[in-house]
Every structure is written in C-alpha cells, then in structure tokens.
Amino acid sequence: MDTEDNLPLSIPLLPLKEFLACPICMCEFDKTYITPCGHRYCEKCIRECINRRHKCPCCNAAVQDNQLIKDSGYDGLIAMINKEKGKAEDGYFNNLIRNAATGDANNPDDTIQREISPIEDVLQKHLKQGLASFELYYRELRKDFELRIKEAEISIEVALADLQVTSSMGDEQPNQAAQDMAAAARVQECENRRQHLEKELEACTKLLVESYDKHLSEHVPAPALLPVNISIVLHGKTVTIKDVKIKPHDSLSILKEIVIDRMQREGDPVVIFPDDGVKYVLVGPFAKNNGTLPVQTIERVASGEMAVEAAEGGSGGEGGVGAGAKDITLLPPGCHPVLEYAVKPASSIVLIGPIKLESEMPKKCFVKVWKQGGNEKMDYFTCKQCKINWVCKSCRDFCHKGHKMVPYVSGHTPTWACCHCPRKKKCLLTEN
C-alpha cells in the first residue's frame, strides 16, 4: 500500500453521493443487491421492479429474481462511510462553535488545542444538537427538492419515449414538427416545475432560517437574563434557605413570599415579617471567608456605618467601601436584584430586621392553651430534680431547662388543662 494512503486526507462526500443512492428510490442503499448487468439497487426496490417487468431499470437487460446477488461488501462500505461521516460532522460542529466563540470564523480547520471552559462545553453540547437538527432538516428539504426534480425529469423522459413509440406505430411517416412541438412542451413543463420547486425551496429555507434565528435568540440569552440560584439567610438565626432561584424580573418582595412559604413547609412558620424595617444585604460569592459570611461587615453595611457605593447602582468598585465590604451591597426597597445588581450565582441575600419565627415566640404552658373538646395530644415528662410528673413540653423546655427530664406519658389526650408544673408553683409561663 502506498504511503500516501496513510495521510490524514479529507475526501468530499458530495461526488460520491450518487454512487450511494439507489436509482429507483433515490435513497441510500438498504441491503444492496447487484444485477448480472452490474447495476446496484436496494433489495426491496429491485425485487419489486423485476417482479413487474423482469428487466433492469437502468439498461433494460433481462433479469430474473434468482439472478440477483447480495453485495455485502458494498453495504459494509456504506456503513464505514456513514461512520466516518458522523465523526467528520462532530468535528465540523465543534470547530464551528469554537471558532464562533473565539471570533476566528475564517479558520474552520484550526488545530490549536486549548482547554475548553465548562461554559463552552455546555454551549457546544446544546448548540451542536440544535445546529445538527436544523442542518439535517435543511438537507432533508434539499433532498426532497432534488427527488421531485428527478421525478419530473423521469416523467418527461417516459412521456417522450411513449410519444416516439406511438409515432413509430402509425401507418404514415411521423409528423416531425408535431413531435418536436410536443417535446418542447414537455421540456417547458419540466422547466416550469423546476422553477416552482426552486421558489418553494427558497421560501422554506427562509422560514427555516427565521425559525432557527428565533430559537437561538430565545434559548441563548445573555447571562444577565438568566435566573440565578442564591441563598437567603435570616440574620441572627440558624436559618439558611438554599437553592432559591430568582428571575431577572423578580423584585425584593418575592423574597418575603419565599421565606414565608419555605418556613411554613419546614414546620416553623413566620409569625412576624413587617413590610418595613427589614433590610436586604447582597453578599457576593467571593466576599465569603471559607464559605462563612462576614457577619460584622454585613451588619455595618446594613446600619449605614459603611457607605456602599454599589447601593447607588451596580456592584461598584472599592469606593468608600472598606476592603472587607467588597461585593457586599445594601439593596434598596423595590429593586430588581438580578437586573440592577448583576447578582452572581451562589450569592447570599441576608435579611436583617424584626423577623420572628414561631420557635422564637414565648412559650405557653399547656394549661393556657388547652381547649374544651379538643383532641390535641401531649407528651408529658418527669422532672427528677423537682420531683414532678405530668410536666408539659413547654414547661420542660423553659421552666425546667437544664434539669434532668425523662418521658412520663407520650401521646396522651388530656380531658382537662393538665400540667402539674403550675400546681407545684414551678411554672414560669403562667401569669401570676
């Protein structure tokens, strides 16, 4: 084998296209069979054809069904070509997307290797899928167009052949002028059909391009227009609501709704959340110290001790902000954080103000909350230090805090305001 055979050459597929398509269905060979006269067809196509005419469609040579020979080698060649075609298409789309990202559209065969960023990797994945689907759809349009043109040309050839046969069967000398006029009419009909199909293809291509342009406009937005995942932190509490997605058009008011909904589901409902008096401090992902929020700096920014330049719009620079306050911004009421302050993923918004959860509210002894006819169940405890049984949960957590407590009765449904802590004058939750 010559050494030139090992060179990394690229062979265009278009010149080979007609050799890979069945002359009957105009599609890629499917289970190739060859006739004794040397013409190849799909198995289904040629068997159906010779069962009707017993002739080769290409040369009209006589052919019988048992004379057909399966061409496995040709099927293997087509399979290999399709495999290499798939690899070439992947390389083409990867180069196209890479060159578009680098702005080097005139160098599609650039072989310079560089590390692909995670963003490029995701973009290549989805753009390649979208580009491939639209490109294949366009090729299907072209294929359908070419097939219809071929059908029109074949119909003209058949009509002209029939005209010649009819003329030769007459008793008189064929009228050459009339035959020429009929042939010219058939040719013109074919040309008119071609022009019509070309206009249809042009219209379809235009609509496809407009559709693809709209698809990219809607699905490849700028980063500032994408939803952002953040965390909401309730200052002074051990509450952090993670993976909160806020959209560009969301205002600060939606954070209140998110907190109320999430805490309700967590079983610790929000009791107090005033519309005024709560401050929102945006903390960028790089302002954290090993994942820990700079609490003192956040408090100083919220109180106004540190004049944050970014509060007047955008993240700003150092300005009047100390080094520790970089990327920490006091958000004004009614603002849209994503649009106006370019919130980065993994940022936190700290809520500072008189927000109260149910778990933070003063407890009440069961004696004060029991209702006649209710079916509320209560767990009762024994205080070993005070030697009291039938102590309710609220008194256990508040009146007997730090004492040795053990369960006494669990899941009890009392029929009266039962708690022995007030009886023993140990209760600090009941009114005097």
Side-chain angles (χ1 to χ4, degrees):
M1 184 177 291
D2 295 336
T3 56
E4 287 80 0
D5 293 339
N6 297 324
L7 294 176
L9 304 178
S10 297
I11 301 176
L13 190 60
L14 189 59
L16 305 177
K17 186 176 181 181
E18 62 177 298
F19 297 100
L20 305 177
C22 171
I24 298 176
C25 66
M26 305 299 293
C27 298
E28 185 180 279
F29 284 111
D30 180 24
K31 298 179 182 178
T32 310
Y33 273 73
I34 188 170
T35 62
C37 51
H39 296 107
R40 291 183 174 86
Y41 304 93
C42 297
E43 179 185 14
K44 182 179 179 181
C45 296
I46 187 57
R47 291 193 186 280
E48 182 177 341
C49 187
I50 63 176
N51 285 338
R52 292 180 179 180
R53 300 180 63 234
H54 305 290
K55 291 183 179 181
C56 173
C58 287
C59 66
N60 285 327
V63 181
Q64 298 298 323
D65 186 272
N66 58 6
Q67 293 179 302
L68 297 176
I69 302 172
K70 181 173 177 58
D71 196 344
S72 302
Y74 211 76
D75 287 336
L77 174 63
I78 293 175
M80 180 59 67
I81 290 175
N82 286 333
K83 180 180 178 180
E84 294 302 317
K85 176 185 173 185
K87 292 180 181 179
E89 285 179 346
D90 287 342
Y92 166 77
F93 288 124
N94 287 335
N95 284 332
L96 186 64
I97 296 168
R98 187 183 301 114
N99 293 329
T102 59
D104 189 6
N106 297 321
N107 189 17
D109 297 323
D110 183 18
T111 58
I112 298 177
Q113 299 294 323
R114 65 180 183 85
E115 184 178 356
I116 298 177
S117 74
I119 299 299
E120 284 182 301
D121 189 35
V122 172
L123 187 63
Q124 284 189 13
K125 171 186 173 184
H126 292 284
L127 278 186
K128 183 166 67 174
Q129 293 174 352
L131 183 59
S133 62
F134 275 88
E135 179 64 20
L136 290 176
Y137 186 77
Y138 173 69
R139 292 183 184 182
E140 287 297 323
L141 285 177
R142 292 285 312 181
K143 181 179 178 181
D144 187 42
F145 164 76
E146 293 169 359
L147 181 60
R148 291 177 184 272
I149 290 294
K150 186 68 174 178
E151 289 174 349
E153 292 175 347
I154 292 175
S155 66
I156 297 304
E157 292 175 0
V158 171
L160 291 176
D162 291 343
L163 183 60
Q164 291 176 355
V165 171
T166 303
S167 299
S168 64
M169 293 176 61
D171 295 334
E172 300 178 356
Q173 186 70 18
N175 189 331
Q176 187 64 39
Q179 184 175 337
D180 291 343
M181 289 180 61
R186 292 291 190 178
V187 172
Q188 185 61 44
E189 179 184 349
C190 180
E191 183 61 28
N192 292 340
R193 177 63 174 162
R194 175 189 290 275
Q195 292 178 3
H196 173 74
L197 291 173
E198 287 178 347
K199 289 181 179 180
E200 288 295 324
L201 177 64
E202 183 180 355
C204 289
T205 302
K206 181 180 179 182
L207 292 174
L208 179 63
V209 170
E210 291 176 353
S211 175
Y212 188 45
D213 183 60
K214 182 179 179 181
H215 171 79
L216 291 179
S217 299
E218 293 176 350
H219 294 84
V220 190
L225 301 179
L226 293 173
V228 178
N229 275 22
I230 65 166
S231 297
I232 300 177
V233 179
L234 301 186
H235 179 65
K237 304 172 176 54
T238 58
V239 176
T240 299
I241 303 175
K242 298 181 179 180
D243 297 324
V244 176
K245 182 178 291 186
I246 56 174
K247 301 175 182 177
H249 59 270
D250 288 337
S251 64
L252 280 182
S253 60
I254 198 172
L255 299 185
K256 177 179 178 179
E257 299 173 9
I258 292 172
V259 170
I260 292 175
D261 176 71
R262 189 69 65 90
M263 297 311 300
Q264 180 70 34
R265 285 187 282 150
E266 293 290 333
D268 192 6
V270 176
V271 179
I272 299 175
F273 196 133
D275 292 331
D276 298 326
V278 176
K279 296 183 178 180
Y280 300 80
V281 180
L282 172 62
V283 182
F286 304 119
K288 303 172 185 178
N289 183 15
N290 293 327
T292 304
L293 294 174
V295 177
Q296 293 183 351
T297 304
I298 292 172
E299 292 174 345
R300 293 178 63 191
V301 170
S303 66
E305 293 182 25
M306 305 185 78
V308 182
E309 179 182 340
E312 298 179 359
S315 57
E318 291 287 343
V321 186
K326 186 177 181 180
D327 293 331
I328 300 179
T329 307
L330 178 62
L331 300 175
C335 74
H336 298 78
V338 176
L339 284 178
E340 298 179 46
Y341 291 87
V343 176
K344 301 180 180 67
S347 296
S348 298
I349 296 183
V350 182
L351 278 55
I352 301 178
I355 301 173
K356 295 293 182 181
L357 305 178
E358 186 179 88
S359 60
E360 299 176 299
M361 300 303 290
K363 305 295 182 180
K364 291 184 178 181
C365 178
F366 183 71
V367 171
K368 293 295 182 180
V369 299
W370 178 81
K371 293 182 181 180
Q372 183 71 36
N375 294 320
E376 182 178 358
K377 296 183 181 295
M378 175 57 65
D379 295 333
Y380 287 96
F381 301 84
T382 295
C383 179
K384 293 293 187 178
Q385 183 172 329
C386 300
K387 299 180 180 180
I388 304 175
N389 298 325
W390 297 99
V391 178
C392 70
K393 287 176 66 176
S394 297
C395 289
R396 177 202 66 178
D397 296 337
F398 191 80
C399 308
H400 301 268
K401 185 176 182 179
H403 295 183
K404 183 178 181 180
M405 306 293 296
V406 295
Y408 184 67
V409 178
S410 298
H412 180 64
T413 304
T415 58
W416 58 283
C418 175
C419 181
H420 288 188
C421 190
R423 282 188 174 189
K424 302 295 183 178
K425 301 186 185 301
K426 296 289 186 178
C427 187
L428 303 176
L429 297 177
T430 55
E431 297 178 357
N432 296 327

